[in-house]
Amino acid sequence: MYDPERYEKFKSAAARDAAEFAPKLVSEMEWNSKEVILDYGCGAGSTGFNFILPTVEKHDSKLFSVDISEKMIEFAEKEYAHPRITYAVGDILGDFPYKSMQFDKILSIYVLHFVKDYREAVKKFYNALKPGSQLGFTVVGQSRIFQALVDIGSRETWKDIMKGYEKYVPEWVEKKQDVQKCFKDALTSAGFEIQKIELHNQKWKYSTLDSFVEFYMSLNPFVRNLSPNQLKQMKDDYIDMVKNQWNALGDDGQPAEGKYELLYVLAKKPLQ
């Protein structure tokens, strides 16, 4: 998520999934008082604020919300400020602001499909947790959101501007792997005990072609570097992709129902 205003306005399916699965993760975790919680990949801040914060408050705990995007954090600090939330820019695989801390819980909603080396991220989460603590996350499996990056990034107009787009396409998509098996292996290898792992086949129909395209563009990390004219041109190319390359319009001229996989995971770091 690299354009907070566009993402918050058009996230639709992601918003529905967050509203369903973030509370599910929170409710199925084991809570105690005065805990330290990490919301990794907090994005624009709404998911943590709406679905994690109430339980954090209830248990007199603290929430550390981290995202790799400076724009997202700036937006979150403005729109979702709270005394119990500390926002920071950071990358669990690089410059992470809380390397010296260990957390009681880590939640990561709709994030790990954007992390190319997801196995290393899982290991980092393991090291960042206290013994006996839990990791909960959702991740998108097979989905057209990744195919869109490939199809737009490989076009002559954008191949230089979007150079390196491949690193934003998950390995399980590139290699057509079973996302559930990929994360079972990664979690077990890192040392986690898997408490729940569920693959949900999700559906969503956008009300308009414009909202469909705007959401896909909000997930394109290269839009932040485009001029207004380039943004318009890219939007036209997304529309062309949906209409002609994907042939994904229904009889009403709007996007047909989309299907995608959503993986739900709850895991525990064993007591040592």
Side-chain angles (χ1 to χ4, degrees):
M1 301 177 291
Y2 296 90
D3 187 331
E5 288 83 3
R6 181 180 272 118
Y7 182 77
E8 285 295 294
K9 184 176 180 181
F10 295 105
K11 63 182 181 181
S12 302
R16 179 201 63 185
D17 291 341
E20 177 180 356
F21 291 103
K24 176 177 166 68
L25 277 173
V26 170
S27 68
E28 293 185 342
M29 285 181 154
E30 303 155 7
W31 291 84
N32 295 298
S33 62
K34 299 188 182 302
E35 292 186 316
V36 181
I37 316 301
L38 174 64
D39 176 14
Y40 183 75
C42 67
S46 59
T47 298
F49 187 90
N50 292 323
F51 305 119
I52 304 173
L53 178 62
T55 302
V56 167
E57 287 187 289
K58 179 181 177 181
H59 292 277
D60 192 22
S61 297
K62 295 180 179 180
L63 182 61
F64 290 82
S65 297
V66 176
D67 197 271
I68 196 171
S69 168
E70 186 175 343
K71 282 189 176 182
M72 288 290 182
I73 292 299
E74 288 175 355
F75 185 90
E77 287 178 329
K78 179 181 177 182
E79 299 294 330
Y80 298 104
H82 191 276
R84 290 190 182 270
I85 304 178
T86 301
Y87 291 104
V89 177
D91 181 356
I92 194 69
L93 297 180
D95 187 13
F96 188 63
Y98 304 116
K99 288 182 178 179
S100 62
M101 291 177 61
Q102 281 198 307
F103 296 92
D104 295 285
K105 290 174 184 62
I106 297 176
L107 294 100
S108 189
I109 312 296
Y110 251 75
V111 176
L112 288 177
H113 42 267
F114 297 124
V115 179
K116 192 70 172 183
D117 195 349
Y118 68 93
R119 296 182 185 86
E120 186 62 23
V122 167
K123 291 178 184 176
K124 295 289 188 182
F125 286 150
Y126 184 90
N127 292 334
L129 280 168
K130 298 175 184 177
S133 298
Q134 292 173 294
L135 166 68
F137 62 88
T138 62
V139 64
V140 176
Q142 300 297 329
S143 171
R144 270 184 165 166
I145 63 173
F146 309 117
Q147 188 60 46
L149 282 175
V150 175
D151 292 348
I152 294 295
S154 59
R155 292 192 177 201
E156 188 66 28
T157 305
W158 306 111
K159 67 178 185 179
D160 290 332
I161 293 173
M162 288 182 60
K163 188 175 182 179
Y165 71 83
E166 297 90 347
K167 72 178 183 179
Y168 298 101
V169 180
E171 180 182 304
W172 58 85
V173 173
E174 286 182 317
K175 298 181 179 179
K176 295 181 171 56
Q177 296 171 325
D178 180 343
V179 66
Q180 190 167 4
K181 184 180 185 306
C182 286
F183 275 94
K184 277 184 178 178
D185 293 345
L187 288 160
T188 302
S189 176
F192 280 104
E193 296 173 353
I194 299 174
Q195 296 179 298
K196 283 197 174 183
I197 185 163
E198 305 168 353
L199 188 64
H200 297 262
N201 293 309
Q202 302 290 89
K203 296 179 181 179
W204 184 264
K205 190 178 190 310
Y206 282 83
S207 58
T208 66
L209 176 59
D210 186 74
S211 64
F212 180 85
V213 168
E214 288 284 353
F215 173 65
Y216 274 50
M217 286 183 67
S218 77
L219 299 172
N220 186 328
F222 299 93
V223 299
R224 56 188 168 183
N225 301 321
L226 301 183
S227 68
N229 286 338
Q230 287 175 319
L231 278 171
K232 183 182 182 304
Q233 184 179 3
M234 179 173 278
K235 186 171 182 177
D236 289 342
D237 281 355
Y238 268 89
I239 291 171
D240 173 73
M241 175 186 69
V242 175
K243 284 183 174 180
N244 302 313
Q245 192 169 342
W246 289 2
N247 193 26
L249 297 183
D251 294 336
D252 59 358
Q254 302 303 330
E257 186 176 65
K259 299 178 181 179
Y260 60 98
E261 297 175 332
L262 187 72
L263 188 69
Y264 172 93
V265 176
L266 184 60
K268 190 170 189 176
K269 180 175 181 176
L271 288 168
Q272 297 172 340

